PDB file of all heavy atoms in Angstrom:
ATOM      1  N   ILE A 209       3.827 104.224 159.071  1.00  0.00           N
ATOM      2  CA  ILE A 209       2.698 103.437 159.578  1.00  0.00           C
ATOM      3  C   ILE A 209       1.391 104.204 159.448  1.00  0.00           C
ATOM      4  O   ILE A 209       0.363 103.639 159.058  1.00  0.00           O
ATOM      5  CB  ILE A 209       2.952 103.018 161.033  1.00  0.00           C
ATOM      6  CG1 ILE A 209       4.122 102.035 161.079  1.00  0.00           C
ATOM      7  CG2 ILE A 209       1.702 102.376 161.635  1.00  0.00           C
ATOM      8  CD1 ILE A 209       4.491 101.577 162.455  1.00  0.00           C
ATOM      9  N   ARG A 210       1.395 105.489 159.731  1.00  0.00           N
ATOM     10  CA  ARG A 210       0.172 106.269 159.613  1.00  0.00           C
ATOM     11  C   ARG A 210      -0.304 106.342 158.169  1.00  0.00           C
ATOM     12  O   ARG A 210      -1.519 106.345 157.897  1.00  0.00           O
ATOM     13  CB  ARG A 210       0.385 107.669 160.192  1.00  0.00           C
ATOM     14  CG  ARG A 210       0.557 107.673 161.708  1.00  0.00           C
ATOM     15  CD  ARG A 210       0.981 109.031 162.215  1.00  0.00           C
ATOM     16  NE  ARG A 210       0.023 110.062 161.835  1.00  0.00           N
ATOM     17  CZ  ARG A 210       0.273 111.371 161.921  1.00  0.00           C
ATOM     18  NH1 ARG A 210       1.456 111.791 162.369  1.00  0.00           N
ATOM     19  NH2 ARG A 210      -0.648 112.246 161.574  1.00  0.00           N
ATOM     20  N   ASN A 211       0.622 106.366 157.219  1.00  0.00           N
ATOM     21  CA  ASN A 211       0.233 106.370 155.812  1.00  0.00           C
ATOM     22  C   ASN A 211      -0.275 104.998 155.370  1.00  0.00           C
ATOM     23  O   ASN A 211      -1.225 104.894 154.582  1.00  0.00           O
ATOM     24  CB  ASN A 211       1.416 106.801 154.940  1.00  0.00           C
ATOM     25  CG  ASN A 211       1.761 108.269 155.144  1.00  0.00           C
ATOM     26  OD1 ASN A 211       0.905 109.073 155.507  1.00  0.00           O
ATOM     27  ND2 ASN A 211       3.015 108.634 154.922  1.00  0.00           N
ATOM     28  N   ILE A 212       0.337 103.938 155.896  1.00  0.00           N
ATOM     29  CA  ILE A 212      -0.178 102.593 155.625  1.00  0.00           C
ATOM     30  C   ILE A 212      -1.567 102.436 156.233  1.00  0.00           C
ATOM     31  O   ILE A 212      -2.476 101.874 155.600  1.00  0.00           O
ATOM     32  CB  ILE A 212       0.785 101.524 156.179  1.00  0.00           C
ATOM     33  CG1 ILE A 212       2.068 101.481 155.343  1.00  0.00           C
ATOM     34  CG2 ILE A 212       0.122 100.147 156.208  1.00  0.00           C
ATOM     35  CD1 ILE A 212       3.134 100.547 155.887  1.00  0.00           C
ATOM     36  N   MET A 213      -1.754 102.935 157.455  1.00  0.00           N
ATOM     37  CA  MET A 213      -3.062 102.838 158.101  1.00  0.00           C
ATOM     38  C   MET A 213      -4.148 103.539 157.289  1.00  0.00           C
ATOM     39  O   MET A 213      -5.276 103.055 157.190  1.00  0.00           O
ATOM     40  CB  MET A 213      -3.004 103.433 159.510  1.00  0.00           C
ATOM     41  CG  MET A 213      -2.415 102.525 160.572  1.00  0.00           C
ATOM     42  SD  MET A 213      -3.303 100.974 160.800  1.00  0.00           S
ATOM     43  CE  MET A 213      -4.978 101.567 161.137  1.00  0.00           C
ATOM     44  N   GLY A 214      -3.822 104.671 156.695  1.00  0.00           N
ATOM     45  CA  GLY A 214      -4.802 105.354 155.854  1.00  0.00           C
ATOM     46  C   GLY A 214      -5.282 104.468 154.728  1.00  0.00           C
ATOM     47  O   GLY A 214      -6.481 104.422 154.404  1.00  0.00           O
ATOM     48  N   CYS A 215      -4.357 103.718 154.133  1.00  0.00           N
ATOM     49  CA  CYS A 215      -4.714 102.816 153.034  1.00  0.00           C
ATOM     50  C   CYS A 215      -5.471 101.590 153.538  1.00  0.00           C
ATOM     51  O   CYS A 215      -6.434 101.135 152.902  1.00  0.00           O
ATOM     52  CB  CYS A 215      -3.454 102.383 152.280  1.00  0.00           C
ATOM     53  SG  CYS A 215      -2.656 103.720 151.373  1.00  0.00           S
ATOM     54  N   ILE A 216      -5.045 101.037 154.683  1.00  0.00           N
ATOM     55  CA  ILE A 216      -5.741  99.877 155.237  1.00  0.00           C
ATOM     56  C   ILE A 216      -7.195 100.217 155.537  1.00  0.00           C
ATOM     57  O   ILE A 216      -8.118  99.456 155.209  1.00  0.00           O
ATOM     58  CB  ILE A 216      -5.037  99.390 156.522  1.00  0.00           C
ATOM     59  CG1 ILE A 216      -3.670  98.796 156.199  1.00  0.00           C
ATOM     60  CG2 ILE A 216      -5.900  98.352 157.247  1.00  0.00           C
ATOM     61  CD1 ILE A 216      -2.866  98.403 157.433  1.00  0.00           C
ATOM     62  N   VAL A 217      -7.416 101.359 156.171  1.00  0.00           N
ATOM     63  CA  VAL A 217      -8.782 101.755 156.529  1.00  0.00           C
ATOM     64  C   VAL A 217      -9.616 102.003 155.277  1.00  0.00           C
ATOM     65  O   VAL A 217     -10.790 101.606 155.202  1.00  0.00           O
ATOM     66  CB  VAL A 217      -8.754 103.004 157.442  1.00  0.00           C
ATOM     67  CG1 VAL A 217     -10.156 103.579 157.616  1.00  0.00           C
ATOM     68  CG2 VAL A 217      -8.160 102.647 158.798  1.00  0.00           C
ATOM     69  N   ALA A 218      -9.038 102.631 154.252  1.00  0.00           N
ATOM     70  CA  ALA A 218      -9.772 102.866 153.003  1.00  0.00           C
ATOM     71  C   ALA A 218     -10.201 101.544 152.373  1.00  0.00           C
ATOM     72  O   ALA A 218     -11.325 101.412 151.865  1.00  0.00           O
ATOM     73  CB  ALA A 218      -8.902 103.662 152.035  1.00  0.00           C
ATOM     74  N   ALA A 242      -3.453 106.925 150.381  1.00  0.00           N
ATOM     75  CA  ALA A 242      -4.500 107.641 151.117  1.00  0.00           C
ATOM     76  C   ALA A 242      -3.872 108.703 152.014  1.00  0.00           C
ATOM     77  O   ALA A 242      -2.668 108.681 152.276  1.00  0.00           O
ATOM     78  CB  ALA A 242      -5.297 106.645 151.960  1.00  0.00           C
ATOM     79  N   PRO A 243      -4.676 109.643 152.528  1.00  0.00           N
ATOM     80  CA  PRO A 243      -4.154 110.659 153.451  1.00  0.00           C
ATOM     81  C   PRO A 243      -3.570 110.021 154.715  1.00  0.00           C
ATOM     82  O   PRO A 243      -3.960 108.920 155.119  1.00  0.00           O
ATOM     83  CB  PRO A 243      -5.394 111.497 153.783  1.00  0.00           C
ATOM     84  CG  PRO A 243      -6.308 111.301 152.622  1.00  0.00           C
ATOM     85  CD  PRO A 243      -6.093 109.885 152.174  1.00  0.00           C
ATOM     86  N   PHE A 245      -3.070 108.979 158.346  1.00  0.00           N
ATOM     87  CA  PHE A 245      -4.065 108.723 159.385  1.00  0.00           C
ATOM     88  C   PHE A 245      -3.666 109.412 160.685  1.00  0.00           C
ATOM     89  O   PHE A 245      -2.512 109.796 160.895  1.00  0.00           O
ATOM     90  CB  PHE A 245      -4.218 107.213 159.589  1.00  0.00           C
ATOM     91  CG  PHE A 245      -5.604 106.792 159.994  1.00  0.00           C
ATOM     92  CD1 PHE A 245      -6.681 106.978 159.149  1.00  0.00           C
ATOM     93  CD2 PHE A 245      -5.826 106.215 161.230  1.00  0.00           C
ATOM     94  CE1 PHE A 245      -7.963 106.594 159.514  1.00  0.00           C
ATOM     95  CE2 PHE A 245      -7.096 105.826 161.618  1.00  0.00           C
ATOM     96  CZ  PHE A 245      -8.173 106.013 160.763  1.00  0.00           C
TER      97      PHE A 245
END
Side-chain angles (χ1 to χ4, degrees):
I209 293 179
R210 291 171 58 194
N211 291 333
I212 289 175
M213 280 300 305
C215 292
I216 292 175
V217 170
F245 212 64

